[in-house]
Amino acid sequence: MSVLNPTDSRSAEPVLPSVAMNSSRPLDRRGRTKDADQRAGRNERRQFGSSHSNLSTEGRELAAAIDAYKIQHHRRYITCDEMLVVLRSLGYQK
């Protein structure tokens, strides 16, 4: 069986590697699957840092409340209005 060169003028389409052609699922380059993450209890990837050690006590409380809000609402970033919701939930008022 001869394989045409992808740049060969006789080939209308590039030749794909045999590994991709023989697999029924896409190759997971991260080394884990979504099913494995769910079994291990890792349903959510955190998209923000969790180190608040350099903050004041009130700053750590706010950061923890924001982190909890993000996890609860599946948000990577929050809007200013959402920040107000978090602040009000902590008892702050204008």
Coordinates of all heavy atoms in Angstrom, one line a residue:
M1 N 0.8 -1.2 0.0 CA 0.0 0.0 0.0 C 0.9 1.2 0.0 O 1.7 1.4 0.9 CB -0.9 0.0 1.2 CG -1.7 1.2 1.4 SD -2.7 1.0 2.9 CE -3.6 2.4 2.8
S2 N 0.7 2.1 -0.9 CA 1.5 3.3 -1.0 C 0.7 4.5 -0.5 O -0.5 4.6 -0.7 CB 2.0 3.6 -2.4 OG 0.9 3.9 -3.2
V3 N 1.4 5.4 0.2 CA 0.8 6.6 0.8 C 1.3 7.7 0.0 O 2.5 7.9 -0.2 CB 1.1 6.7 2.3 CG1 0.5 8.0 2.8 CG2 0.6 5.5 3.0
L4 N 0.4 8.5 -0.5 CA 0.8 9.7 -1.3 C 1.3 10.8 -0.4 O 0.8 11.0 0.7 CB -0.4 10.3 -2.1 CG -0.9 9.3 -3.2 CD1 -2.1 10.0 -3.8 CD2 0.1 9.0 -4.2
N5 N 2.3 11.5 -0.8 CA 2.8 12.7 -0.1 C 1.7 13.7 -0.1 O 1.1 14.0 -1.1 CB 4.1 13.2 -0.8 CG 4.8 14.3 -0.1 OD1 4.2 14.9 0.8 ND2 6.0 14.5 -0.4
P6 N 1.5 14.4 1.1 CA 0.5 15.5 1.1 C 0.7 16.6 0.1 O -0.2 17.3 -0.3 CB 0.6 16.0 2.6 CG 1.2 14.9 3.4 CD 2.1 14.2 2.4
T7 N 1.9 16.8 -0.3 CA 2.2 17.9 -1.3 C 2.2 17.3 -2.7 O 2.4 18.1 -3.6 CB 3.6 18.5 -1.0 OG1 4.6 17.5 -1.1 CG2 3.6 19.2 0.4
D8 N 1.9 16.0 -2.9 CA 1.9 15.4 -4.2 C 0.7 16.0 -4.9 O -0.4 16.1 -4.4 CB 1.8 13.9 -4.0 CG 2.0 13.2 -5.3 OD1 1.8 13.8 -6.4 OD2 2.3 11.9 -5.3
S9 N 0.9 16.3 -6.2 CA -0.2 16.9 -7.0 C -1.3 15.9 -7.3 O -2.4 16.3 -7.6 CB 0.4 17.5 -8.3 OG 1.0 16.4 -9.0
R10 N -1.0 14.6 -7.2 CA -2.0 13.6 -7.4 C -3.0 13.5 -6.3 O -4.1 13.0 -6.4 CB -1.4 12.2 -7.6 CG -0.5 12.2 -8.9 CD 0.1 10.9 -9.0 NE 1.1 10.7 -8.0 CZ 1.7 9.6 -7.6 NH1 1.5 8.5 -8.2 NH2 2.6 9.6 -6.7
S11 N -2.7 14.0 -5.1 CA -3.5 13.9 -3.9 C -4.4 15.2 -3.8 O -3.9 16.3 -3.7 CB -2.7 13.8 -2.7 OG -3.5 13.8 -1.5
A12 N -5.7 15.0 -3.8 CA -6.6 16.1 -3.7 C -6.7 16.6 -2.2 O -7.0 17.7 -1.9 CB -8.0 15.7 -4.2
E13 N -6.5 15.7 -1.3 CA -6.6 16.0 0.2 C -5.3 15.5 0.8 O -4.7 14.6 0.4 CB -7.8 15.3 0.8 CG -9.1 15.7 0.2 CD -10.3 15.0 0.9 OE1 -10.1 14.5 2.0 OE2 -11.3 15.0 0.3
P14 N -4.9 16.2 1.9 CA -3.7 15.8 2.6 C -4.0 14.4 3.3 O -5.1 14.0 3.7 CB -3.5 16.8 3.7 CG -4.8 17.6 3.8 CD -5.5 17.4 2.5
V15 N -2.9 13.6 3.4 CA -3.0 12.3 4.0 C -2.9 12.5 5.5 O -2.0 13.1 6.0 CB -1.8 11.4 3.5 CG1 -1.8 10.1 4.2 CG2 -1.9 11.3 2.0
L16 N -3.9 11.9 6.2 CA -3.9 12.0 7.7 C -3.1 10.9 8.3 O -3.0 9.8 7.7 CB -5.4 11.9 8.1 CG -6.3 12.9 7.6 CD1 -7.7 12.6 8.1 CD2 -5.9 14.3 8.1
P17 N -2.5 11.1 9.4 CA -1.8 10.0 10.1 C -2.7 8.8 10.4 O -3.9 9.0 10.7 CB -1.3 10.6 11.4 CG -1.4 12.1 11.2 CD -2.5 12.3 10.2
S18 N -2.1 7.6 10.3 CA -2.9 6.4 10.5 C -3.5 6.3 11.9 O -4.6 5.7 12.1 CB -2.1 5.2 10.2 OG -1.0 5.1 11.1
V19 N -2.9 6.9 12.9 CA -3.4 6.9 14.3 C -4.8 7.6 14.3 O -5.7 7.0 14.9 CB -2.4 7.6 15.3 CG1 -3.0 7.7 16.6 CG2 -1.1 6.9 15.3
A20 N -4.9 8.7 13.7 CA -6.2 9.5 13.8 C -7.2 8.7 13.0 O -8.4 8.8 13.3 CB -6.0 10.9 13.2
M21 N -6.8 8.0 11.9 CA -7.8 7.4 11.1 C -8.3 6.1 11.7 O -9.4 5.7 11.5 CB -7.2 7.0 9.7 CG -6.9 8.3 8.9 SD -6.0 7.9 7.4 CE -7.3 7.0 6.5
N22 N -7.5 5.5 12.6 CA -7.9 4.2 13.2 C -8.7 4.4 14.6 O -9.2 3.5 15.1 CB -6.7 3.3 13.5 CG -6.1 2.9 12.2 OD1 -6.8 2.7 11.2 ND2 -4.8 2.6 12.2
S23 N -8.6 5.6 15.1 CA -9.3 5.8 16.4 C -10.7 6.3 16.2 O -11.0 7.0 15.3 CB -8.5 6.8 17.3 OG -8.6 8.1 16.7
S24 N -11.6 5.8 17.1 CA -13.0 6.2 17.0 C -13.3 7.4 17.8 O -14.3 8.1 17.6 CB -13.9 5.0 17.6 OG -13.6 4.8 18.9
R25 N -12.4 7.8 18.7 CA -12.5 9.0 19.5 C -11.3 9.9 19.3 O -10.2 9.4 19.1 CB -12.6 8.7 21.0 CG -13.9 7.9 21.3 CD -14.0 7.7 22.8 NE -12.9 8.0 23.6 CZ -12.8 7.8 24.9 NH1 -13.8 7.2 25.5 NH2 -11.8 8.1 25.6
P26 N -11.5 11.2 19.5 CA -10.3 12.1 19.3 C -9.3 11.8 20.4 O -9.7 11.4 21.5 CB -10.9 13.5 19.5 CG -12.4 13.4 19.5 CD -12.7 11.9 19.7
L27 N -8.1 12.1 20.1 CA -7.0 11.9 21.1 C -7.0 12.9 22.2 O -7.1 14.1 21.9 CB -5.6 11.9 20.4 CG -4.4 11.8 21.2 CD1 -4.4 10.4 21.8 CD2 -3.2 12.0 20.3
D28 N -7.1 12.5 23.4 CA -7.1 13.4 24.6 C -5.6 13.6 25.0 O -5.0 12.8 25.6 CB -7.9 12.8 25.7 CG -8.0 13.8 26.9 OD1 -7.5 14.9 26.8 OD2 -8.6 13.4 27.9
R29 N -5.1 14.7 24.6 CA -3.7 15.0 24.9 C -3.4 15.4 26.4 O -2.3 15.5 26.8 CB -3.2 16.1 24.0 CG -3.2 15.7 22.5 CD -2.7 16.9 21.6 NE -3.0 16.6 20.3 CZ -2.3 15.8 19.5 NH1 -1.2 15.2 20.0 NH2 -2.6 15.6 18.2
R30 N -4.5 15.7 27.1 CA -4.3 16.0 28.6 C -4.1 14.8 29.4 O -3.7 14.9 30.6 CB -5.5 16.8 29.1 CG -5.6 18.1 28.4 CD -6.9 18.8 28.8 NE -8.0 17.9 28.4 CZ -9.3 18.1 28.7 NH1 -9.6 19.1 29.5 NH2 -10.2 17.3 28.3
G31 N -4.3 13.6 28.9 CA -4.1 12.4 29.6 C -5.2 12.0 30.6 O -5.1 11.1 31.4
R32 N -6.3 12.7 30.5 CA -7.5 12.3 31.3 C -8.8 12.5 30.5 O -8.7 13.3 29.5 CB -7.5 13.0 32.6 CG -7.7 14.5 32.4 CD -7.8 15.2 33.7 NE -8.3 16.5 33.6 CZ -7.6 17.6 33.6 NH1 -6.4 17.6 33.8 NH2 -8.2 18.8 33.4
T33 N -9.8 11.9 30.9 CA -11.1 12.1 30.2 C -12.1 12.8 31.1 O -11.9 12.8 32.3 CB -11.7 10.7 29.8 OG1 -11.9 10.0 30.9 CG2 -10.7 10.0 28.9
K34 N -13.1 13.3 30.5 CA -14.2 13.9 31.3 C -14.8 12.9 32.3 O -15.0 13.3 33.5 CB -15.3 14.5 30.4 CG -16.3 15.3 31.1 CD -17.3 15.9 30.1 CE -18.4 16.6 30.8 NZ -19.4 17.2 29.9
D35 N -15.0 11.7 31.9 CA -15.5 10.7 32.8 C -14.6 10.4 34.0 O -15.0 10.3 35.1 CB -15.7 9.4 32.0 CG -16.8 9.5 31.0 OD1 -17.7 10.4 31.1 OD2 -16.8 8.7 30.0
A36 N -13.3 10.4 33.7 CA -12.3 10.2 34.8 C -12.4 11.4 35.8 O -12.3 11.2 37.0 CB -10.9 10.0 34.3
D37 N -12.5 12.6 35.3 CA -12.6 13.8 36.1 C -13.9 13.7 37.0 O -13.8 14.0 38.2 CB -12.7 15.0 35.3 CG -11.3 15.5 34.8 OD1 -10.3 14.9 35.3 OD2 -11.3 16.3 33.9
Q38 N -15.0 13.3 36.5 CA -16.2 13.2 37.2 C -16.1 12.1 38.3 O -16.6 12.3 39.4 CB -17.4 12.9 36.3 CG -17.8 14.1 35.5 CD -18.9 13.8 34.5 OE1 -19.2 12.7 34.2 NE2 -19.4 14.9 33.9
R39 N -15.5 10.9 38.0 CA -15.3 9.9 39.0 C -14.4 10.3 40.1 O -14.6 10.0 41.2 CB -14.7 8.6 38.3 CG -15.7 7.8 37.5 CD -15.2 6.5 37.1 NE -13.9 6.6 36.4 CZ -13.8 6.7 35.1 NH1 -14.9 6.7 34.3 NH2 -12.6 6.7 34.5
A40 N -13.4 11.2 39.8 CA -12.5 11.7 40.8 C -13.0 12.9 41.6 O -12.4 13.4 42.4 CB -11.1 12.0 40.1
G41 N -14.2 13.3 41.2 CA -14.8 14.5 41.9 C -14.3 15.8 41.4 O -14.5 16.8 42.1
R42 N -13.7 15.8 40.2 CA -13.3 17.1 39.7 C -14.2 17.5 38.6 O -13.8 17.5 37.4 CB -11.9 16.9 39.1 CG -10.8 16.6 40.2 CD -9.5 16.5 39.5 NE -9.4 15.4 38.5 CZ -8.6 14.4 38.5 NH1 -7.7 14.3 39.4 NH2 -8.6 13.5 37.6
N43 N -15.4 17.9 38.9 CA -16.4 18.3 37.9 C -16.1 19.7 37.4 O -16.6 20.1 36.4 CB -17.8 18.3 38.5 CG -18.2 16.8 38.8 OD1 -17.7 15.9 38.2 ND2 -19.2 16.7 39.7
E44 N -15.4 20.5 38.2 CA -15.2 21.9 37.8 C -13.7 22.3 37.9 O -13.1 22.0 38.9 CB -16.0 22.8 38.7 CG -15.8 24.3 38.5 CD -17.1 25.0 38.4 OE1 -18.1 24.4 38.7 OE2 -17.1 26.1 37.9
R45 N -13.2 22.9 36.8 CA -11.9 23.4 36.9 C -11.9 24.8 37.4 O -12.6 25.6 36.8 CB -11.2 23.3 35.5 CG -11.0 21.9 35.0 CD -10.5 21.9 33.6 NE -9.3 22.7 33.4 CZ -8.8 23.1 32.3 NH1 -9.3 22.6 31.2 NH2 -7.8 23.9 32.2
R46 N -11.1 25.1 38.3 CA -11.0 26.5 38.8 C -10.2 27.3 37.9 O -9.2 27.0 37.4 CB -10.4 26.5 40.2 CG -11.3 25.8 41.2 CD -10.9 26.1 42.6 NE -11.3 27.5 42.8 CZ -11.0 28.1 44.0 NH1 -10.5 27.4 45.0 NH2 -11.3 29.3 44.2
Q47 N -10.8 28.5 37.5 CA -10.2 29.4 36.5 C -9.6 30.6 37.2 O -9.2 31.5 36.5 CB -11.2 29.8 35.5 CG -11.9 28.7 34.8 CD -10.9 28.0 33.8 OE1 -10.0 28.6 33.3 NE2 -11.0 26.7 33.6
F48 N -9.4 30.6 38.5 CA -8.9 31.7 39.2 C -8.0 31.3 40.3 O -8.1 30.1 40.8 CB -10.0 32.6 39.7 CG -11.2 31.8 40.3 CD1 -11.2 31.6 41.6 CD2 -12.2 31.4 39.5 CE1 -12.3 30.8 42.1 CE2 -13.2 30.7 40.0 CZ -13.3 30.4 41.3
G49 N -7.1 32.1 40.8 CA -6.2 31.8 41.8 C -6.9 31.7 43.2 O -8.0 32.3 43.4
S50 N -6.4 30.9 44.0 CA -7.0 30.7 45.4 C -6.1 31.2 46.5 O -6.4 30.9 47.6 CB -7.4 29.2 45.5 OG -6.2 28.4 45.5
S51 N -5.1 31.9 46.2 CA -4.2 32.4 47.2 C -4.6 33.8 47.6 O -4.5 34.7 46.8 CB -2.7 32.4 46.8 OG -1.9 32.9 47.8
H52 N -5.1 33.9 48.8 CA -5.5 35.3 49.3 C -4.7 35.6 50.5 O -5.2 36.5 51.3 CB -7.0 35.3 49.6 CG -7.9 34.8 48.5 ND1 -7.9 35.4 47.2 CD2 -8.7 33.7 48.4 CE1 -8.7 34.8 46.4 NE2 -9.2 33.7 47.1
S53 N -3.5 35.1 50.7 CA -2.8 35.2 51.9 C -2.3 36.7 52.1 O -2.0 37.1 53.2 CB -1.6 34.3 51.9 OG -0.7 34.5 50.8
N54 N -2.1 37.4 51.0 CA -1.6 38.8 51.1 C -2.7 39.8 51.3 O -2.4 41.0 51.3 CB -0.8 39.2 49.9 CG -1.5 39.1 48.6 OD1 -2.6 38.4 48.5 ND2 -1.0 39.7 47.5
L55 N -4.0 39.4 51.5 CA -5.1 40.3 51.7 C -5.4 40.5 53.2 O -5.0 39.7 54.0 CB -6.3 39.7 51.0 CG -6.2 39.5 49.5 CD1 -7.5 38.9 49.0 CD2 -6.0 40.9 48.8
S56 N -6.1 41.6 53.5 CA -6.6 41.8 54.8 C -7.7 40.8 55.2 O -8.1 40.0 54.3 CB -7.1 43.2 55.0 OG -8.3 43.3 54.1
T57 N -8.1 40.7 56.4 CA -9.2 39.8 56.8 C -10.4 40.1 56.0 O -11.0 39.1 55.5 CB -9.5 40.0 58.3 OG1 -8.2 39.7 59.0 CG2 -10.5 39.0 58.8
E58 N -10.8 41.3 55.8 CA -12.0 41.7 55.1 C -11.8 41.3 53.6 O -12.7 40.9 52.9 CB -12.3 43.2 55.2 CG -12.8 43.6 56.6 CD -11.6 43.9 57.5 OE1 -10.4 43.9 57.1 OE2 -11.9 44.2 58.7
G59 N -10.6 41.5 53.1 CA -10.3 41.2 51.7 C -10.4 39.7 51.4 O -10.9 39.3 50.4
R60 N -9.9 38.9 52.4 CA -10.0 37.4 52.3 C -11.5 37.0 52.3 O -11.9 36.1 51.6 CB -9.2 36.7 53.4 CG -7.7 36.7 53.1 CD -7.0 35.7 54.0 NE -7.1 36.1 55.4 CZ -6.3 37.0 56.0 NH1 -5.3 37.5 55.4 NH2 -6.5 37.2 57.3
E61 N -12.2 37.6 53.1 CA -13.7 37.3 53.2 C -14.4 37.6 51.9 O -15.2 36.8 51.4 CB -14.3 38.1 54.4 CG -15.8 37.7 54.5 CD -16.5 38.5 55.7 OE1 -15.8 39.5 56.2 OE2 -17.6 38.2 56.0
L62 N -14.1 38.8 51.3 CA -14.7 39.2 50.0 C -14.2 38.2 48.9 O -15.0 37.8 48.1 CB -14.3 40.6 49.7 CG -14.7 41.1 48.3 CD1 -16.3 41.0 48.2 CD2 -14.2 42.5 48.1
A63 N -12.9 37.9 48.9 CA -12.4 37.0 47.9 C -13.0 35.6 48.0 O -13.4 35.0 46.9 CB -10.9 36.9 48.0
A64 N -13.2 35.1 49.2 CA -13.8 33.8 49.4 C -15.3 33.9 48.9 O -15.8 32.9 48.3 CB -13.7 33.4 50.8
A65 N -16.0 35.0 49.2 CA -17.4 35.1 48.8 C -17.5 35.2 47.2 O -18.4 34.6 46.6 CB -18.0 36.3 49.4
I66 N -16.5 35.9 46.6 CA -16.5 36.0 45.1 C -16.2 34.6 44.5 O -16.9 34.2 43.6 CB -15.5 37.0 44.7 CG1 -16.0 38.4 45.0 CG2 -15.3 36.9 43.2 CD1 -14.9 39.5 44.8
D67 N -15.2 33.9 45.1 CA -14.9 32.5 44.6 C -16.1 31.6 44.7 O -16.5 30.8 43.8 CB -13.8 31.9 45.4 CG -12.4 32.6 45.0 OD1 -12.4 33.3 44.1 OD2 -11.4 32.3 45.7
A68 N -16.8 31.7 45.9 CA -18.0 30.8 46.1 C -19.1 31.2 45.1 O -19.8 30.3 44.5 CB -18.5 31.0 47.5
Y69 N -19.3 32.5 44.8 CA -20.3 32.9 43.8 C -19.9 32.4 42.4 O -20.8 31.9 41.7 CB -20.3 34.5 43.8 CG -21.4 35.0 42.8 CD1 -22.7 35.3 43.3 CD2 -21.1 35.2 41.5 CE1 -23.6 35.8 42.4 CE2 -22.0 35.7 40.6 CZ -23.3 36.0 41.1 OH -24.3 36.4 40.2
K70 N -18.7 32.5 42.1 CA -18.2 32.0 40.7 C -18.5 30.5 40.6 O -18.9 30.0 39.5 CB -16.7 32.3 40.5 CG -16.4 33.7 40.3 CD -14.9 33.9 40.1 CE -14.5 35.3 39.9 NZ -13.0 35.4 39.7
I71 N -18.2 29.7 41.6 CA -18.4 28.3 41.6 C -19.9 28.0 41.5 O -20.3 27.2 40.7 CB -17.7 27.6 42.8 CG1 -16.2 27.7 42.6 CG2 -18.1 26.2 42.9 CD1 -15.4 27.3 43.8
Q72 N -20.6 28.6 42.3 CA -22.1 28.4 42.4 C -22.8 28.7 41.1 O -23.7 28.0 40.6 CB -22.7 29.2 43.5 CG -24.2 29.0 43.6 CD -24.8 29.9 44.7 OE1 -24.2 30.6 45.3 NE2 -26.1 29.7 44.9
H73 N -22.3 29.8 40.4 CA -23.0 30.2 39.2 C -22.2 29.8 37.9 O -22.5 30.3 36.8 CB -23.2 31.7 39.2 CG -24.2 32.1 40.3 ND1 -25.5 32.0 40.2 CD2 -23.9 32.6 41.6 CE1 -26.1 32.4 41.4 NE2 -25.1 32.8 42.2
H74 N -21.2 29.0 38.1 CA -20.4 28.6 36.9 C -19.9 29.7 36.1 O -20.0 29.8 34.9 CB -21.2 27.6 36.0 CG -21.8 26.4 36.8 ND1 -21.0 25.4 37.2 CD2 -23.0 26.2 37.3 CE1 -21.7 24.5 37.9 NE2 -23.0 25.0 37.9
R75 N -19.2 30.7 36.7 CA -18.8 31.9 36.1 C -17.2 31.9 36.2 O -16.7 31.7 37.3 CB -19.4 33.1 36.7 CG -20.9 33.2 36.6 CD -21.4 33.4 35.2 NE -20.8 34.5 34.6 CZ -21.5 35.6 34.4 NH1 -22.7 35.7 34.8 NH2 -20.9 36.7 33.8
R76 N -16.6 32.3 35.1 CA -15.1 32.6 35.2 C -14.9 34.0 35.7 O -14.0 34.2 36.5 CB -14.5 32.4 33.8 CG -13.0 32.5 33.8 CD -12.5 32.1 32.5 NE -11.0 32.2 32.5 CZ -10.2 31.9 31.6 NH1 -10.7 31.4 30.4 NH2 -8.9 32.0 31.7
Y77 N -15.7 34.9 35.2 CA -15.6 36.3 35.6 C -16.9 36.8 36.0 O -17.9 36.3 35.6 CB -15.1 37.2 34.4 CG -13.8 36.7 33.9 CD1 -13.7 36.1 32.7 CD2 -12.6 37.0 34.6 CE1 -12.5 35.7 32.1 CE2 -11.4 36.6 34.1 CZ -11.3 35.9 32.8 OH -10.1 35.5 32.3
I78 N -17.0 37.8 36.9 CA -18.3 38.3 37.3 C -18.4 39.8 36.8 O -17.4 40.5 36.7 CB -18.5 38.2 38.8 CG1 -17.5 39.0 39.6 CG2 -18.6 36.7 39.2 CD1 -17.8 39.0 41.1
T79 N -19.6 40.3 36.7 CA -19.8 41.6 36.3 C -19.9 42.5 37.5 O -19.9 42.0 38.6 CB -21.2 41.8 35.5 OG1 -22.2 41.4 36.4 CG2 -21.2 40.8 34.3
C80 N -19.9 43.8 37.3 CA -20.0 44.8 38.4 C -21.3 44.5 39.2 O -21.3 44.6 40.4 CB -19.9 46.2 37.9 SG -18.3 46.6 37.2
D81 N -22.4 44.3 38.5 CA -23.7 44.0 39.2 C -23.6 42.8 40.0 O -24.1 42.7 41.1 CB -24.8 43.9 38.2 CG -25.2 45.2 37.6 OD1 -25.0 46.3 38.3 OD2 -25.8 45.3 36.5
E82 N -22.9 41.7 39.5 CA -22.7 40.5 40.3 C -21.8 40.8 41.5 O -22.0 40.2 42.6 CB -22.1 39.4 39.5 CG -23.1 38.9 38.4 CD -22.5 37.9 37.5 OE1 -21.3 38.2 37.0 OE2 -23.1 36.9 37.2
M83 N -20.8 41.7 41.4 CA -20.0 42.1 42.5 C -20.8 42.7 43.6 O -20.7 42.5 44.8 CB -18.9 43.0 42.0 CG -18.0 43.6 43.2 SD -16.9 42.3 43.9 CE -15.7 42.3 42.7
L84 N -21.8 43.6 43.2 CA -22.7 44.2 44.1 C -23.5 43.2 44.9 O -23.8 43.3 46.1 CB -23.6 45.2 43.4 CG -23.0 46.5 43.0 CD1 -23.9 47.4 42.2 CD2 -22.6 47.3 44.3
V85 N -24.0 42.2 44.2 CA -24.7 41.1 44.8 C -23.9 40.4 45.9 O -24.3 40.2 47.0 CB -25.2 40.0 43.8 CG1 -25.8 38.8 44.4 CG2 -26.2 40.7 42.8
V86 N -22.6 40.1 45.6 CA -21.7 39.5 46.6 C -21.5 40.4 47.7 O -21.6 40.0 48.9 CB -20.4 39.1 45.9 CG1 -19.4 38.6 46.9 CG2 -20.6 38.1 44.8
L87 N -21.2 41.7 47.5 CA -21.0 42.7 48.5 C -22.2 42.8 49.4 O -22.1 42.8 50.7 CB -20.6 44.0 48.0 CG -19.2 44.1 47.4 CD1 -19.1 45.4 46.6 CD2 -18.2 44.0 48.5
R88 N -23.4 42.9 48.8 CA -24.6 43.0 49.7 C -24.9 41.7 50.5 O -25.4 41.8 51.6 CB -25.8 43.3 48.8 CG -25.8 44.7 48.2 CD -27.0 45.1 47.4 NE -26.9 46.5 46.9 CZ -27.2 46.9 45.8 NH1 -27.8 46.0 44.9 NH2 -27.1 48.1 45.4
S89 N -24.5 40.6 49.9 CA -24.7 39.3 50.7 C -23.8 39.3 51.9 O -24.1 38.6 52.9 CB -24.4 38.1 49.8 OG -23.0 38.0 49.6
L90 N -22.7 40.1 51.9 CA -21.8 40.2 53.0 C -22.3 41.3 54.0 O -21.6 41.5 55.1 CB -20.4 40.5 52.6 CG -19.7 39.3 51.8 CD1 -18.3 39.8 51.3 CD2 -19.5 38.1 52.6
G91 N -23.3 42.0 53.7 CA -23.8 43.0 54.6 C -23.4 44.4 54.2 O -23.7 45.4 55.0
Y92 N -22.7 44.6 53.2 CA -22.2 46.0 52.8 C -23.4 46.8 52.2 O -24.2 46.2 51.5 CB -21.1 46.0 51.8 CG -19.8 45.5 52.5 CD1 -19.4 44.2 52.5 CD2 -18.9 46.4 53.1 CE1 -18.2 43.7 53.0 CE2 -17.7 46.0 53.7 CZ -17.4 44.6 53.7 OH -16.3 44.2 54.2
Q93 N -23.4 48.0 52.5 CA -24.4 48.9 51.9 C -23.9 50.3 51.6 O -22.9 50.7 52.3 CB -25.7 49.0 52.8 CG -25.4 49.5 54.2 CD -26.7 49.5 55.0 OE1 -27.8 49.4 54.5 NE2 -26.6 49.5 56.3
K94 N -24.5 51.0 50.8 CA -24.0 52.4 50.4 C -24.4 53.4 51.5 O -25.4 53.4 52.0 CB -24.6 52.8 49.1 CG -24.1 54.1 48.5 CD -24.6 54.3 47.2 CE -24.2 55.7 46.6 NZ -24.7 56.0 45.3

